[in-house]
Amino acid sequence: MSPLPLPAPASTPSTTPASPVRSPATARLVHRAAALLPLLLIGVWAAVDWHSVRGGTARLASADPWWLLLAVLYTCLGWVAAACVRQGAIPDRLPPGLLLASQFAAGAANHVLPGSVGAHAVTLRFLQGRGIPLTRAGASIALYSLVKPIAKVPVLLVFVLAFPGMLELGELVPDDGTLLLAAGCVVLGPAAAALLVTAVRPLRRPALALVRTALTDARLLHTRPSRVLALWGGAAVAPVLQACVLASVGASLGLPPSWAQVVFAFLAAGTAVGAVPAPGGIGPVDAALVFAMTAFGAPLGLATATVIGYRVLTVWLPLIPGALVLSALVQRKAL
């Protein structure tokens, strides 16, 4: 008699947790929500600040259209300058068309979140989508953020030396309290970051890797003349182009201060309060712009109308197209 077959051993359950499986319908829903999120944020912000949009648009309706057309041209050139700085801050070659589109979309995100967080987040996703490691992409954003304020200083000095007589510097210099607050932010910001990295051990390794990558890439970039020109030249030209937008809007409304005075007022106001973490600098920079232009003899109402018109052209006019481009880049998985 043949032996009875032994029972098969019971299969032991696997101790490895099953990886979550996302259904295609859920993935499509998440992707569609990410694409529509910029438009939703823009709509909420527009509802909150609707009075400024309506008042600025009504003011621009009576302005000189040719000056406004020139202001639109300067606005477009500002996006090109921003794309040049982004390319100059990273050794890898980026596709010019997609880079420009990402900066146009980053402008919409920048006016929703404070401290340029929105623009940097869009750029970070764009760089990672091009296959650039996170450490190198973060180092590029850090270099971009460092170069922009430094490049503005020689531009300001050029204006001071070129127009010493008509620039009333005394009324534009911040008081002692403002200077003390700015110095405190400059000192306490890096100190707080260093303390955080020292206290939180998991942050040490990525922070050190970021610093090493930033120093290595900075040395490499400054051996390439094309990258140096794009980085420093673009960073110096970008605020001048933005100031020219303001000056063009002022000329369309008949603002009394000269072109050079308006440009200097913009540079001085942005330098004084540009570090305040407001979305797109809206709020503190606007107040500083109005104060600076009134210091040069502009009527308060006309200076306010000029700043509102400037915001309409640089923020509200490209906001919906920028949000659409941002959604399109998300749909194409370029972000």
Side-chain angles (χ1 to χ4, degrees), residues 154-167 169 260-261 264:
V155 178
L156 274 170
L157 293 177
V158 167
F159 271 87
V160 171
L161 295 175
F163 308 103
M166 65 178 180
L167 298 178
L169 295 176
Q261 287 176 324
F264 180 79

Side-chain angles (χ1 to χ4, degrees), residues 10 68 84 103 153 157 159 169 171 186 196 209 217-218 230 253 272-273 276-277 294 310-311 317 319 330:
L68 294 181
C84 289
Q103 294 312 292
V153 174
L157 293 177
F159 271 87
L169 295 176
E171 298 186 31
V186 170
L196 181 63
D217 286 356
L253 296 173
V273 297
V276 178
T294 53
Y310 164 78
R311 286 301 182 187
L317 186 63
L319 200 56
V330 173

Side-chain angles (χ1 to χ4, degrees), residues 204-223:
R204 292 180 192 174
R205 181 173 296 178
L208 292 176
L210 178 65
V211 171
R212 283 195 297 265
T213 303
L215 293 176
T216 302
D217 286 356
R219 287 195 298 267
L220 176 62
L221 289 169
H222 285 82
T223 61

